[in-house]
């Protein structure tokens, strides 16, 4: 798989495994990729596209973080939170194992293709 195919796979996987609560999107201001997280999600994913000085490519670094989890909860709510953590842990493991890396041209192409598809969907 090339970098563009890997990014498409990651985009679909994130949406599928989080039941649409998180999705890979292109930013409105600077065409940067980021993961938009619903307010309903307790655990979020974060994406960094960092240039690798050794390879000259852009490495995708995925991380997870706790959004907010304050207050007192009953056992059912705690089970929902625990299940969400487990789901994100499994997803993060798959994304880290994939070691997604793109050339500058692949990254630009993916962003342009993704942005044009996203804009077409927003106009309908």
């Amino acid at each position: 798989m090339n970098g563009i195919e890997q990014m498409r796979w990651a985009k679909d996987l994130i949406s599928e495994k989080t039941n649409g609560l998180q999705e890979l999107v292109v930013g409105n201001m600077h065409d940067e990729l980021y993961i938009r997280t619903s307010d309903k999600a307790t655990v979020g994913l974060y994406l960094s596209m960092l240039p690798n000085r050794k390879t000259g490519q852009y490495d995708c670094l995925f991380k997870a973080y706790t959004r907010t989890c304050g207050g007192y909860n009953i056992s059912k709510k705690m089970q929902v939170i625990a299940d969400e953590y487990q789901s994100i842990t499994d997803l993060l493991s798959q994304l880290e194992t994939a070691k997604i890396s793109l050339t500058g041209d692949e990254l630009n192409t993916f962003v342009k293709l993704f942005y044009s598809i996203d804009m077409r969907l927003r106009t309908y």
Side-chain angles (χ1 to χ4, degrees), residues 89-105:
T89 301
D90 295 342
L91 172 59
L92 188 58
S93 178
Q94 285 182 281
L95 293 168
E96 288 175 341
T97 301
K99 296 187 187 304
I100 300 173
S101 187
L102 298 95
T103 65
D105 289 340

Side-chain angles (χ1 to χ4, degrees), residues 11 23-27 32-36 114 118 122:
K11 176 189 176 307
E23 59 183 334
L24 182 64
V25 296
V26 175
E32 75 281 357
L33 294 173
Y34 72 98
I35 299 174
R36 180 173 34 212
F114 186 52
D118 189 45
R122 288 183 193 186

Side-chain angles (χ1 to χ4, degrees), residues 5-35:
E5 292 168 344
Q6 287 180 311
M7 289 303 292
R8 286 182 179 153
W9 169 80
K11 176 189 176 307
D12 293 341
L13 185 68
I14 290 166
S15 181
E16 175 189 325
K17 295 290 185 176
T18 63
N19 295 319
L21 291 178
Q22 300 186 53
E23 59 183 334
L24 182 64
V25 296
V26 175
N28 294 332
M29 297 287 285
H30 300 288
D31 293 344
E32 75 281 357
L33 294 173
Y34 72 98
I35 299 174

Side-chain angles (χ1 to χ4, degrees), residues 32-65:
E32 75 281 357
L33 294 173
Y34 72 98
I35 299 174
R36 180 173 34 212
T37 303
S38 167
D39 290 340
K40 296 177 183 177
T42 304
V43 182
L45 281 175
Y46 176 78
L47 167 66
S48 291
M49 299 293 296
L50 299 176
N52 185 321
R53 292 183 184 174
K54 293 180 183 176
T55 65
Q57 299 200 123
Y58 288 86
D59 294 335
C60 297
L61 300 176
F62 293 93
K63 302 290 180 192
Y65 62 96

